[in-house]
Short mmCIF file of all heavy atoms in Angstrom, two decimals:
data_model
loop_
_atom_site.label_atom_id
_atom_site.label_comp_id
_atom_site.label_asym_id
_atom_site.label_seq_id
_atom_site.Cartn_x
_atom_site.Cartn_y
_atom_site.Cartn_z
N LYS A 1 30.57 -4.06 -15.62
CA LYS A 1 30.12 -5.40 -15.99
C LYS A 1 31.18 -6.14 -16.80
O LYS A 1 31.11 -7.36 -16.96
CB LYS A 1 28.83 -5.31 -16.82
CG LYS A 1 27.69 -4.59 -16.12
CD LYS A 1 27.33 -5.25 -14.80
CE LYS A 1 26.20 -4.50 -14.10
NZ LYS A 1 25.92 -5.07 -12.74
N MET A 2 32.18 -5.40 -17.30
CA MET A 2 33.20 -6.00 -18.16
C MET A 2 34.59 -6.00 -17.55
O MET A 2 35.47 -6.74 -18.00
CB MET A 2 33.23 -5.27 -19.51
CG MET A 2 31.95 -5.36 -20.30
SD MET A 2 32.02 -4.48 -21.90
CE MET A 2 31.77 -2.78 -21.35
N GLY A 3 34.83 -5.14 -16.55
CA GLY A 3 36.18 -5.01 -16.01
C GLY A 3 36.20 -4.72 -14.53
O GLY A 3 35.16 -4.50 -13.90
N LYS A 4 37.40 -4.71 -13.98
CA LYS A 4 37.61 -4.49 -12.55
C LYS A 4 38.36 -3.20 -12.27
O LYS A 4 37.99 -2.42 -11.40
CB LYS A 4 38.39 -5.67 -11.95
CG LYS A 4 37.66 -7.01 -12.02
CD LYS A 4 36.38 -7.01 -11.20
CE LYS A 4 35.73 -8.40 -11.21
NZ LYS A 4 34.41 -8.39 -10.53
N ASN A 5 39.45 -2.98 -12.99
CA ASN A 5 40.27 -1.79 -12.78
C ASN A 5 39.89 -0.76 -13.84
O ASN A 5 40.35 -0.82 -14.98
CB ASN A 5 41.75 -2.15 -12.88
CG ASN A 5 42.66 -0.96 -12.67
OD1 ASN A 5 42.27 0.03 -12.05
ND2 ASN A 5 43.87 -1.04 -13.20
N ILE A 6 39.05 0.19 -13.48
CA ILE A 6 38.50 1.15 -14.43
C ILE A 6 38.97 2.54 -14.03
O ILE A 6 38.65 3.01 -12.95
CB ILE A 6 36.96 1.08 -14.44
CG1 ILE A 6 36.50 -0.35 -14.79
CG2 ILE A 6 36.38 2.10 -15.41
CD1 ILE A 6 35.09 -0.65 -14.34
N THR A 7 39.73 3.18 -14.92
CA THR A 7 40.34 4.47 -14.58
C THR A 7 40.03 5.52 -15.64
O THR A 7 40.26 5.29 -16.84
CB THR A 7 41.87 4.33 -14.47
OG1 THR A 7 42.19 3.31 -13.52
CG2 THR A 7 42.50 5.64 -14.03
N LEU A 8 39.51 6.66 -15.21
CA LEU A 8 39.38 7.80 -16.09
C LEU A 8 40.75 8.48 -16.16
O LEU A 8 41.17 9.15 -15.22
CB LEU A 8 38.31 8.77 -15.56
CG LEU A 8 38.12 10.06 -16.38
CD1 LEU A 8 37.70 9.75 -17.81
CD2 LEU A 8 37.10 10.97 -15.70
N VAL A 9 41.44 8.29 -17.27
CA VAL A 9 42.80 8.77 -17.41
C VAL A 9 42.82 10.27 -17.71
O VAL A 9 43.69 11.01 -17.23
CB VAL A 9 43.54 7.99 -18.52
CG1 VAL A 9 44.96 8.50 -18.71
CG2 VAL A 9 43.55 6.49 -18.20
N GLY A 10 41.86 10.71 -18.51
CA GLY A 10 41.82 12.12 -18.91
C GLY A 10 40.79 12.31 -19.99
O GLY A 10 39.78 11.59 -20.05
N GLY A 11 41.05 13.27 -20.88
CA GLY A 11 40.12 13.56 -21.96
C GLY A 11 40.19 12.54 -23.08
O GLY A 11 40.99 11.59 -23.05
N VAL A 12 39.34 12.74 -24.08
CA VAL A 12 39.29 11.81 -25.21
C VAL A 12 40.67 11.69 -25.86
O VAL A 12 41.34 12.69 -26.12
CB VAL A 12 38.24 12.28 -26.25
CG1 VAL A 12 38.33 11.44 -27.52
CG2 VAL A 12 36.84 12.20 -25.66
N GLY A 13 41.10 10.47 -26.08
CA GLY A 13 42.42 10.17 -26.64
C GLY A 13 43.41 9.73 -25.58
O GLY A 13 44.36 9.00 -25.89
N ASP A 14 43.20 10.16 -24.33
CA ASP A 14 44.14 9.79 -23.27
C ASP A 14 44.02 8.31 -22.91
O ASP A 14 45.01 7.70 -22.46
CB ASP A 14 43.89 10.64 -22.02
CG ASP A 14 44.33 12.09 -22.21
OD1 ASP A 14 45.09 12.36 -23.16
OD2 ASP A 14 43.90 12.95 -21.42
N GLY A 15 42.86 7.72 -23.09
CA GLY A 15 42.73 6.29 -22.87
C GLY A 15 43.61 5.51 -23.83
O GLY A 15 44.30 4.56 -23.44
N GLN A 16 43.59 5.92 -25.11
CA GLN A 16 44.42 5.24 -26.11
C GLN A 16 45.90 5.46 -25.84
O GLN A 16 46.72 4.54 -26.03
CB GLN A 16 44.06 5.73 -27.52
CG GLN A 16 42.64 5.40 -27.96
CD GLN A 16 42.39 3.91 -28.13
OE1 GLN A 16 43.32 3.09 -28.07
NE2 GLN A 16 41.14 3.55 -28.32
N THR A 17 46.27 6.65 -25.40
CA THR A 17 47.67 6.90 -25.05
C THR A 17 48.11 5.99 -23.92
O THR A 17 49.21 5.42 -23.93
CB THR A 17 47.85 8.38 -24.65
OG1 THR A 17 47.56 9.21 -25.77
CG2 THR A 17 49.27 8.65 -24.18
N CYS A 18 47.24 5.82 -22.92
CA CYS A 18 47.54 4.92 -21.80
C CYS A 18 47.70 3.49 -22.29
O CYS A 18 48.59 2.77 -21.84
CB CYS A 18 46.43 5.03 -20.76
SG CYS A 18 46.70 4.06 -19.25
N LYS A 19 46.84 3.07 -23.23
CA LYS A 19 46.93 1.70 -23.73
C LYS A 19 48.24 1.48 -24.49
O LYS A 19 48.87 0.41 -24.37
CB LYS A 19 45.74 1.39 -24.64
CG LYS A 19 45.78 -0.02 -25.25
CD LYS A 19 45.82 -1.11 -24.20
CE LYS A 19 46.03 -2.50 -24.80
NZ LYS A 19 44.88 -2.99 -25.58
N VAL A 20 48.67 2.46 -25.25
CA VAL A 20 49.96 2.33 -25.95
C VAL A 20 51.08 2.16 -24.93
O VAL A 20 51.97 1.31 -25.09
CB VAL A 20 50.21 3.55 -26.86
CG1 VAL A 20 51.64 3.53 -27.40
CG2 VAL A 20 49.22 3.56 -28.03
N ALA A 21 51.04 2.96 -23.85
CA ALA A 21 52.05 2.82 -22.79
C ALA A 21 52.00 1.42 -22.19
O ALA A 21 53.04 0.81 -21.92
CB ALA A 21 51.82 3.89 -21.72
N ASN A 22 50.79 0.91 -21.97
CA ASN A 22 50.62 -0.45 -21.44
C ASN A 22 51.29 -1.47 -22.36
O ASN A 22 51.99 -2.38 -21.90
CB ASN A 22 49.13 -0.76 -21.31
CG ASN A 22 48.85 -2.17 -20.82
OD1 ASN A 22 48.83 -2.43 -19.63
ND2 ASN A 22 48.62 -3.10 -21.74
N GLN A 23 51.09 -1.31 -23.66
CA GLN A 23 51.62 -2.29 -24.60
C GLN A 23 53.13 -2.23 -24.71
O GLN A 23 53.77 -3.25 -24.99
CB GLN A 23 50.96 -2.09 -25.98
CG GLN A 23 49.46 -2.36 -25.98
CD GLN A 23 49.10 -3.75 -25.52
OE1 GLN A 23 49.08 -4.02 -24.32
NE2 GLN A 23 48.84 -4.64 -26.46
N ILE A 24 53.70 -1.06 -24.48
CA ILE A 24 55.16 -0.96 -24.42
C ILE A 24 55.68 -1.79 -23.25
O ILE A 24 56.60 -2.60 -23.39
CB ILE A 24 55.60 0.52 -24.27
CG1 ILE A 24 55.31 1.31 -25.54
CG2 ILE A 24 57.10 0.60 -23.91
CD1 ILE A 24 55.52 2.81 -25.39
N ILE A 25 55.07 -1.60 -22.08
CA ILE A 25 55.52 -2.31 -20.88
C ILE A 25 55.34 -3.81 -21.04
O ILE A 25 56.24 -4.60 -20.71
CB ILE A 25 54.75 -1.79 -19.65
CG1 ILE A 25 55.15 -0.35 -19.34
CG2 ILE A 25 55.01 -2.68 -18.42
CD1 ILE A 25 54.28 0.34 -18.31
N VAL A 26 54.20 -4.24 -21.57
CA VAL A 26 53.94 -5.67 -21.73
C VAL A 26 54.94 -6.29 -22.70
O VAL A 26 55.52 -7.36 -22.43
CB VAL A 26 52.50 -5.90 -22.20
CG1 VAL A 26 52.29 -7.37 -22.60
CG2 VAL A 26 51.51 -5.53 -21.11
N ALA A 27 55.17 -5.63 -23.83
CA ALA A 27 56.09 -6.19 -24.83
C ALA A 27 57.50 -6.33 -24.27
O ALA A 27 58.17 -7.36 -24.46
CB ALA A 27 56.11 -5.30 -26.07
N LEU A 28 57.97 -5.29 -23.56
CA LEU A 28 59.33 -5.34 -23.02
C LEU A 28 59.45 -6.39 -21.92
O LEU A 28 60.51 -7.01 -21.76
CB LEU A 28 59.76 -3.96 -22.53
CG LEU A 28 60.47 -3.09 -23.58
CD1 LEU A 28 59.62 -2.88 -24.83
CD2 LEU A 28 60.85 -1.74 -22.99
N ASN A 29 58.37 -6.60 -21.17
CA ASN A 29 58.39 -7.65 -20.16
C ASN A 29 58.39 -9.04 -20.79
O ASN A 29 59.07 -9.95 -20.31
CB ASN A 29 57.20 -7.50 -19.21
CG ASN A 29 57.50 -6.59 -18.04
OD1 ASN A 29 58.01 -7.02 -17.02
ND2 ASN A 29 57.19 -5.31 -18.19
N ILE A 30 57.64 -9.21 -21.86
CA ILE A 30 57.67 -10.50 -22.56
C ILE A 30 59.07 -10.77 -23.10
O ILE A 30 59.60 -11.88 -22.98
CB ILE A 30 56.63 -10.52 -23.70
CG1 ILE A 30 55.21 -10.53 -23.14
CG2 ILE A 30 56.84 -11.75 -24.61
CD1 ILE A 30 54.12 -10.40 -24.19
N GLU A 31 59.68 -9.74 -23.68
CA GLU A 31 61.05 -9.88 -24.18
C GLU A 31 62.01 -10.25 -23.04
O GLU A 31 62.85 -11.15 -23.18
CB GLU A 31 61.50 -8.59 -24.86
CG GLU A 31 62.91 -8.65 -25.42
CD GLU A 31 63.33 -7.36 -26.09
OE1 GLU A 31 62.49 -6.44 -26.21
OE2 GLU A 31 64.50 -7.26 -26.50
N ALA A 32 61.87 -9.59 -21.90
CA ALA A 32 62.77 -9.85 -20.76
C ALA A 32 62.58 -11.27 -20.24
O ALA A 32 63.57 -11.97 -19.94
CB ALA A 32 62.50 -8.84 -19.65
N VAL A 33 61.34 -11.71 -20.11
CA VAL A 33 61.08 -13.07 -19.63
C VAL A 33 61.64 -14.09 -20.62
O VAL A 33 62.27 -15.09 -20.23
CB VAL A 33 59.58 -13.29 -19.40
CG1 VAL A 33 59.26 -14.77 -19.19
CG2 VAL A 33 59.10 -12.48 -18.20
N GLY A 34 61.45 -13.83 -21.91
CA GLY A 34 61.98 -14.74 -22.92
C GLY A 34 63.49 -14.84 -22.85
O GLY A 34 64.06 -15.94 -22.92
N GLU A 35 64.17 -13.71 -22.72
CA GLU A 35 65.62 -13.73 -22.63
C GLU A 35 66.10 -14.46 -21.39
O GLU A 35 67.07 -15.24 -21.43
CB GLU A 35 66.16 -12.29 -22.64
CG GLU A 35 66.03 -11.60 -23.99
CD GLU A 35 66.74 -10.25 -24.03
OE1 GLU A 35 67.51 -9.96 -23.09
OE2 GLU A 35 66.52 -9.50 -25.00
#
């Protein structure tokens, strides 16, 4: 009801690890686009 791409990444804590990885990619892409 809240999202479209819903993935069971692994056990408890793995969702947060995945989100940190996501934020690394997003930040570096923002930096690249800005440059």
Side-chain angles (χ1 to χ4, degrees):
K1 302 302 179 185
M2 297 180 281
K4 297 296 184 186
N5 180 23
I6 302 159
T7 304
L8 177 60
V9 179
V12 172
D14 289 343
Q16 296 294 351
T17 297
C18 184
K19 178 58 187 291
V20 170
N22 178 86
Q23 295 302 80
I24 292 171
I25 292 170
V26 171
L28 269 57
N29 272 273
I30 291 174
E31 180 180 355
V33 168
E35 289 188 11

